[in-house]
Amino acid sequence: MSQQTTFKGIKITTDNKCGFCDGAKCCTYITERLETPRSMHDFDHLLWQISHENIRIYKDDDGWYLLVESTCLHLENDGRCGIYNERPHVCRQHDNDYCEFDAPAEDGFDLYFHDYAQLTKYCKNRFKGWGKRFEKFAKEYE
Ligand code: SF4
Ligand code: SF4
């Protein structure tokens, strides 16, 4: 993936890049690591989660993640951080050398589920008896 090197004719460096980033993309979501889902129960649970507004699920080289699209309350209208000197460690660790400004995060995902329909399709392909899972679950609880 190539890095964006100019913006409107201006040379982009790591020092000025964030100033060109419309809406500070890295401050508009959070992620949380998930246990690797394996069973139909696991995926059924993910379907419940992704049924909620602004919830996405992805898998990359590090594993499975829940992604919540939600803008940080400290992000100011001019794109600056309102608590810059006290910002959390995870924010300090974020490197702008190659970031969401250069390419959408999805480009690095092995799997990306944007909504219930996409994840359902995946489950139907992954599990033969997906359509009958509730009968199976009911027997397990007998
Ligand atoms: S680190 Fe990248 S995504 Fe975040 S504000 Fe800077 S340029 Fe934008
Ligand atoms: S605390 Fe600041 S740097 Fe961290 S996500 Fe919020 S606005 Fe961005």
Side-chain angles (χ1 to χ4, degrees):
M1 284 179 281
S2 63
Q3 194 165 10
Q4 191 167 333
T5 53
T6 59
F7 186 81
K8 293 183 179 171
I10 301 167
K11 188 175 186 311
I12 293 175
T13 67
T14 52
D15 290 332
N16 69 9
K17 184 191 277 187
C18 297
F20 296 118
C21 185
D22 186 24
K25 296 178 176 64
C26 61
C27 301
T28 60
Y29 65 88
I30 63 165
T31 61
E32 196 66 39
R33 181 81 188 259
L34 295 167
E35 288 281 324
T36 301
R38 300 184 198 285
S39 68
M40 283 203 269
H41 277 289
D42 297 338
F43 279 93
D44 189 68
H45 190 75
L46 294 184
L47 277 175
W48 165 63
Q49 292 177 311
I50 206 167
S51 295
H52 291 74
E53 211 171 359
N54 300 331
I55 301 290
R56 323 287 176 219
I57 292 165
Y58 70 88
K59 176 189 172 295
D60 66 10
D61 290 347
D62 296 327
W64 287 76
Y65 286 84
L66 199 69
L67 186 156
V68 183
E69 290 180 356
S70 176
T71 300
C72 179
L73 295 173
H74 301 298
L75 185 62
E76 299 194 330
N77 291 336
D78 62 1
R80 292 177 189 275
C81 174
I83 56 164
Y84 189 77
N85 291 328
E86 307 159 41
R87 69 197 190 287
H89 184 70
V90 65
C91 306
R92 291 162 195 266
Q93 293 296 103
H94 189 70
D95 191 354
N96 79 349
D97 192 37
Y98 188 83
C99 64
E100 296 91 325
F101 181 83
D102 300 291
E106 302 92 272
D107 286 4
F109 298 166
D110 303 326
L111 294 169
Y112 180 46
F113 303 106
H114 194 264
D115 58 25
Y116 177 88
Q118 288 178 344
L119 184 57
T120 296
K121 191 174 171 198
Y122 175 84
C123 292
K124 283 180 179 168
N125 286 332
R126 178 168 173 145
F127 298 102
K128 249 189 194 167
W130 181 254
K132 295 193 183 305
R133 70 190 182 285
F134 299 123
E135 287 96 309
K136 182 176 177 293
F137 294 170
K139 279 185 192 149
E140 289 168 6
Y141 290 113
E142 274 172 8

Short mmCIF file of all heavy atoms in Angstrom, two decimals, residues 1-7 10-22 24-26 29 94-108:
data_model
loop_
_atom_site.label_atom_id
_atom_site.label_comp_id
_atom_site.label_asym_id
_atom_site.label_seq_id
_atom_site.Cartn_x
_atom_site.Cartn_y
_atom_site.Cartn_z
N MET A 1 0.84 -1.19 0.00
CA MET A 1 0.00 0.00 0.00
C MET A 1 0.88 1.25 0.00
O MET A 1 1.83 1.33 0.75
CB MET A 1 -0.89 0.02 1.24
CG MET A 1 -2.05 -0.94 1.15
SD MET A 1 -3.06 -0.92 2.63
CE MET A 1 -2.08 -1.95 3.71
N SER A 2 0.56 2.19 -0.86
CA SER A 2 1.43 3.36 -0.93
C SER A 2 0.94 4.45 0.03
O SER A 2 -0.25 4.62 0.26
CB SER A 2 1.45 3.88 -2.37
OG SER A 2 0.18 4.30 -2.73
N GLN A 3 1.90 5.19 0.52
CA GLN A 3 1.61 6.25 1.47
C GLN A 3 1.32 7.54 0.72
O GLN A 3 1.95 7.83 -0.29
CB GLN A 3 2.83 6.42 2.37
CG GLN A 3 2.58 7.22 3.60
CD GLN A 3 3.71 7.05 4.58
OE1 GLN A 3 4.74 6.48 4.24
NE2 GLN A 3 3.52 7.53 5.78
N GLN A 4 0.35 8.31 1.23
CA GLN A 4 0.05 9.58 0.59
C GLN A 4 1.18 10.56 0.92
O GLN A 4 1.51 10.77 2.08
CB GLN A 4 -1.29 10.11 1.11
CG GLN A 4 -1.79 11.28 0.31
CD GLN A 4 -3.24 11.60 0.61
OE1 GLN A 4 -4.01 10.72 1.00
NE2 GLN A 4 -3.61 12.85 0.43
N THR A 5 1.79 11.16 -0.11
CA THR A 5 2.96 12.01 0.14
C THR A 5 2.70 13.50 -0.05
O THR A 5 3.45 14.34 0.43
CB THR A 5 4.12 11.61 -0.79
OG1 THR A 5 3.64 11.61 -2.13
CG2 THR A 5 4.68 10.24 -0.43
N THR A 6 1.62 13.83 -0.78
CA THR A 6 1.27 15.24 -0.93
C THR A 6 -0.23 15.41 -0.76
O THR A 6 -1.01 14.47 -0.95
CB THR A 6 1.64 15.81 -2.32
OG1 THR A 6 0.96 15.07 -3.33
CG2 THR A 6 3.14 15.77 -2.56
N PHE A 7 -0.64 16.61 -0.38
CA PHE A 7 -2.06 16.92 -0.24
C PHE A 7 -2.24 18.34 -0.76
O PHE A 7 -1.63 19.27 -0.26
CB PHE A 7 -2.49 16.82 1.24
CG PHE A 7 -3.96 16.98 1.45
CD1 PHE A 7 -4.83 15.92 1.23
CD2 PHE A 7 -4.49 18.21 1.86
CE1 PHE A 7 -6.20 16.05 1.43
CE2 PHE A 7 -5.86 18.35 2.06
CZ PHE A 7 -6.71 17.27 1.85
N ILE A 10 0.90 20.17 -1.24
CA ILE A 10 1.81 20.40 -0.10
C ILE A 10 2.43 19.06 0.32
O ILE A 10 1.72 18.05 0.40
CB ILE A 10 1.05 21.02 1.10
CG1 ILE A 10 0.41 22.34 0.67
CG2 ILE A 10 1.97 21.22 2.30
CD1 ILE A 10 -0.60 22.87 1.66
N LYS A 11 3.72 19.08 0.58
CA LYS A 11 4.40 17.85 0.99
C LYS A 11 3.92 17.43 2.39
O LYS A 11 3.90 18.25 3.32
CB LYS A 11 5.92 18.09 1.01
CG LYS A 11 6.72 16.83 1.23
CD LYS A 11 8.21 17.16 1.11
CE LYS A 11 9.13 15.97 1.17
NZ LYS A 11 8.93 15.06 2.23
N ILE A 12 3.53 16.18 2.51
CA ILE A 12 3.04 15.69 3.81
C ILE A 12 4.19 15.06 4.58
O ILE A 12 4.95 14.25 4.05
CB ILE A 12 1.93 14.66 3.61
CG1 ILE A 12 0.71 15.34 3.01
CG2 ILE A 12 1.56 13.98 4.93
CD1 ILE A 12 -0.41 14.38 2.67
N THR A 13 4.30 15.45 5.83
CA THR A 13 5.28 14.84 6.73
C THR A 13 4.52 14.35 7.96
O THR A 13 3.35 14.70 8.16
CB THR A 13 6.33 15.88 7.19
OG1 THR A 13 5.66 16.84 8.02
CG2 THR A 13 6.99 16.58 6.01
N THR A 14 5.20 13.59 8.81
CA THR A 14 4.52 13.13 10.02
C THR A 14 4.19 14.31 10.94
O THR A 14 3.30 14.23 11.77
CB THR A 14 5.37 12.10 10.78
OG1 THR A 14 6.67 12.64 10.98
CG2 THR A 14 5.46 10.79 10.04
N ASP A 15 4.92 15.42 10.77
CA ASP A 15 4.65 16.60 11.62
C ASP A 15 3.39 17.36 11.20
O ASP A 15 2.71 17.93 12.04
CB ASP A 15 5.84 17.57 11.58
CG ASP A 15 7.04 16.99 12.32
OD1 ASP A 15 6.81 16.18 13.25
OD2 ASP A 15 8.18 17.33 11.96
N ASN A 16 3.10 17.38 9.89
CA ASN A 16 1.94 18.19 9.46
C ASN A 16 0.74 17.34 9.04
O ASN A 16 -0.34 17.85 8.81
CB ASN A 16 2.33 19.15 8.33
CG ASN A 16 2.64 18.44 7.02
OD1 ASN A 16 2.43 17.25 6.87
ND2 ASN A 16 3.17 19.18 6.05
N LYS A 17 0.92 16.03 8.96
CA LYS A 17 -0.13 15.17 8.40
C LYS A 17 -1.47 15.33 9.12
O LYS A 17 -2.52 15.45 8.49
CB LYS A 17 0.32 13.71 8.45
CG LYS A 17 -0.68 12.77 7.81
CD LYS A 17 -0.35 11.33 8.11
CE LYS A 17 0.70 10.81 7.16
NZ LYS A 17 0.91 9.35 7.34
N CYS A 18 -1.47 15.30 10.44
CA CYS A 18 -2.74 15.35 11.19
C CYS A 18 -3.54 16.61 10.88
O CYS A 18 -4.76 16.61 10.94
CB CYS A 18 -2.49 15.20 12.69
SG CYS A 18 -1.76 13.61 13.13
N GLY A 19 -2.82 17.68 10.52
CA GLY A 19 -3.49 18.94 10.19
C GLY A 19 -4.31 18.83 8.90
O GLY A 19 -5.23 19.61 8.68
N PHE A 20 -3.99 17.86 8.05
CA PHE A 20 -4.73 17.66 6.80
C PHE A 20 -5.85 16.63 6.94
O PHE A 20 -6.63 16.42 6.01
CB PHE A 20 -3.79 17.16 5.69
CG PHE A 20 -2.72 18.13 5.31
CD1 PHE A 20 -1.37 17.82 5.48
CD2 PHE A 20 -3.04 19.37 4.78
CE1 PHE A 20 -0.39 18.71 5.13
CE2 PHE A 20 -2.05 20.28 4.42
CZ PHE A 20 -0.71 19.95 4.61
N CYS A 21 -5.89 15.96 8.07
CA CYS A 21 -6.79 14.83 8.24
C CYS A 21 -8.18 15.32 8.61
O CYS A 21 -8.41 15.76 9.75
CB CYS A 21 -6.24 13.90 9.31
SG CYS A 21 -7.19 12.40 9.53
N ASP A 22 -9.09 15.25 7.66
CA ASP A 22 -10.44 15.77 7.88
C ASP A 22 -11.16 14.93 8.94
O ASP A 22 -11.44 13.76 8.73
CB ASP A 22 -11.19 15.72 6.54
CG ASP A 22 -12.55 16.38 6.65
OD1 ASP A 22 -12.72 17.23 7.54
OD2 ASP A 22 -13.43 16.03 5.86
N ALA A 24 -10.04 13.96 11.90
CA ALA A 24 -9.17 13.12 12.73
C ALA A 24 -9.70 11.69 12.79
O ALA A 24 -10.25 11.23 13.80
CB ALA A 24 -9.02 13.71 14.13
N LYS A 25 -9.53 10.98 11.70
CA LYS A 25 -10.14 9.65 11.54
C LYS A 25 -9.84 8.70 12.70
O LYS A 25 -10.68 7.89 13.09
CB LYS A 25 -9.67 9.03 10.21
CG LYS A 25 -10.14 9.80 8.99
CD LYS A 25 -9.62 9.18 7.71
CE LYS A 25 -10.15 9.88 6.47
NZ LYS A 25 -9.69 11.29 6.35
N CYS A 26 -8.64 8.78 13.25
CA CYS A 26 -8.26 7.83 14.31
C CYS A 26 -8.98 8.11 15.63
O CYS A 26 -8.88 7.31 16.57
CB CYS A 26 -6.75 7.82 14.51
SG CYS A 26 -6.11 9.41 15.02
N TYR A 29 -13.42 6.18 16.46
CA TYR A 29 -13.85 4.80 16.74
C TYR A 29 -13.04 4.25 17.91
O TYR A 29 -11.99 4.80 18.27
CB TYR A 29 -13.67 3.90 15.50
CG TYR A 29 -12.22 3.73 15.12
CD1 TYR A 29 -11.44 2.71 15.67
CD2 TYR A 29 -11.61 4.61 14.23
CE1 TYR A 29 -10.09 2.58 15.34
CE2 TYR A 29 -10.28 4.49 13.90
CZ TYR A 29 -9.52 3.47 14.45
OH TYR A 29 -8.20 3.36 14.14
N HIS A 94 -0.50 5.78 19.11
CA HIS A 94 -0.94 5.74 17.71
C HIS A 94 0.06 6.49 16.84
O HIS A 94 0.33 7.66 17.05
CB HIS A 94 -2.34 6.35 17.58
CG HIS A 94 -2.94 6.14 16.23
ND1 HIS A 94 -3.35 4.91 15.78
CD2 HIS A 94 -3.19 7.00 15.22
CE1 HIS A 94 -3.83 5.02 14.56
NE2 HIS A 94 -3.73 6.28 14.18
N ASP A 95 0.56 5.77 15.87
CA ASP A 95 1.61 6.30 14.99
C ASP A 95 0.97 6.85 13.71
O ASP A 95 0.15 6.17 13.10
CB ASP A 95 2.54 5.11 14.67
CG ASP A 95 3.80 5.55 13.99
OD1 ASP A 95 3.91 6.75 13.67
OD2 ASP A 95 4.66 4.68 13.77
N ASN A 96 1.34 8.05 13.31
CA ASN A 96 0.75 8.59 12.08
C ASN A 96 1.64 8.36 10.87
O ASN A 96 1.37 8.89 9.79
CB ASN A 96 0.37 10.07 12.24
CG ASN A 96 1.56 11.01 12.11
OD1 ASN A 96 2.72 10.57 12.11
ND2 ASN A 96 1.29 12.28 12.02
N ASP A 97 2.66 7.55 11.05
CA ASP A 97 3.56 7.28 9.93
C ASP A 97 2.82 6.62 8.76
O ASP A 97 2.99 6.98 7.61
CB ASP A 97 4.70 6.38 10.41
CG ASP A 97 5.80 6.31 9.39
OD1 ASP A 97 6.06 7.35 8.75
OD2 ASP A 97 6.37 5.22 9.20
N TYR A 98 2.00 5.63 9.09
CA TYR A 98 1.10 5.04 8.10
C TYR A 98 -0.22 4.77 8.81
O TYR A 98 -0.33 3.86 9.63
CB TYR A 98 1.67 3.73 7.52
CG TYR A 98 0.84 3.25 6.36
CD1 TYR A 98 1.02 3.75 5.08
CD2 TYR A 98 -0.17 2.32 6.56
CE1 TYR A 98 0.23 3.36 4.02
CE2 TYR A 98 -0.97 1.91 5.51
CZ TYR A 98 -0.76 2.43 4.24
OH TYR A 98 -1.56 2.02 3.19
N CYS A 99 -1.20 5.60 8.57
CA CYS A 99 -2.44 5.54 9.37
C CYS A 99 -3.65 5.63 8.46
O CYS A 99 -3.55 5.54 7.24
CB CYS A 99 -2.43 6.64 10.42
SG CYS A 99 -2.44 8.28 9.67
N GLU A 100 -4.81 5.85 9.08
CA GLU A 100 -6.08 5.90 8.35
C GLU A 100 -6.12 7.03 7.32
O GLU A 100 -6.97 7.04 6.44
CB GLU A 100 -7.25 6.06 9.33
CG GLU A 100 -7.43 4.88 10.27
CD GLU A 100 -6.67 5.06 11.58
OE1 GLU A 100 -5.56 5.65 11.55
OE2 GLU A 100 -7.17 4.61 12.61
N PHE A 101 -5.23 7.99 7.45
CA PHE A 101 -5.15 9.07 6.46
C PHE A 101 -4.62 8.51 5.13
O PHE A 101 -5.01 8.96 4.05
CB PHE A 101 -4.20 10.16 6.97
CG PHE A 101 -4.05 11.32 6.04
CD1 PHE A 101 -4.99 12.35 6.04
CD2 PHE A 101 -2.97 11.41 5.16
CE1 PHE A 101 -4.85 13.43 5.18
CE2 PHE A 101 -2.83 12.49 4.30
CZ PHE A 101 -3.77 13.51 4.31
N ASP A 102 -3.74 7.53 5.21
CA ASP A 102 -3.11 6.97 4.02
C ASP A 102 -3.98 5.92 3.34
O ASP A 102 -3.97 5.80 2.12
CB ASP A 102 -1.77 6.35 4.41
CG ASP A 102 -0.85 7.39 5.01
OD1 ASP A 102 -0.41 8.28 4.28
OD2 ASP A 102 -0.61 7.33 6.24
N ALA A 103 -4.69 5.15 4.14
CA ALA A 103 -5.56 4.11 3.58
C ALA A 103 -6.59 3.72 4.64
O ALA A 103 -6.30 3.76 5.83
CB ALA A 103 -4.73 2.88 3.20
N PRO A 104 -7.78 3.33 4.21
CA PRO A 104 -8.79 2.92 5.19
C PRO A 104 -8.29 1.72 5.99
O PRO A 104 -7.61 0.84 5.43
CB PRO A 104 -9.99 2.50 4.32
CG PRO A 104 -9.71 3.00 2.96
CD PRO A 104 -8.23 3.18 2.83
N ALA A 105 -8.61 1.67 7.27
CA ALA A 105 -8.17 0.57 8.12
C ALA A 105 -8.63 -0.77 7.54
O ALA A 105 -7.91 -1.78 7.64
CB ALA A 105 -8.71 0.75 9.53
N GLU A 106 -9.79 -0.77 6.90
CA GLU A 106 -10.34 -2.01 6.34
C GLU A 106 -9.39 -2.69 5.35
O GLU A 106 -9.46 -3.89 5.14
CB GLU A 106 -11.67 -1.76 5.59
CG GLU A 106 -12.76 -1.14 6.40
CD GLU A 106 -12.74 0.37 6.29
OE1 GLU A 106 -12.03 1.00 7.10
OE2 GLU A 106 -13.44 0.93 5.42
N ASP A 107 -8.53 -1.92 4.74
CA ASP A 107 -7.58 -2.50 3.77
C ASP A 107 -6.69 -3.55 4.41
O ASP A 107 -6.17 -4.42 3.72
CB ASP A 107 -6.70 -1.40 3.15
CG ASP A 107 -7.47 -0.55 2.15
OD1 ASP A 107 -8.70 -0.77 2.00
OD2 ASP A 107 -6.85 0.33 1.52
N GLY A 108 -6.51 -3.45 5.74
CA GLY A 108 -5.63 -4.41 6.42
C GLY A 108 -6.40 -5.54 7.08
O GLY A 108 -5.80 -6.35 7.79
#
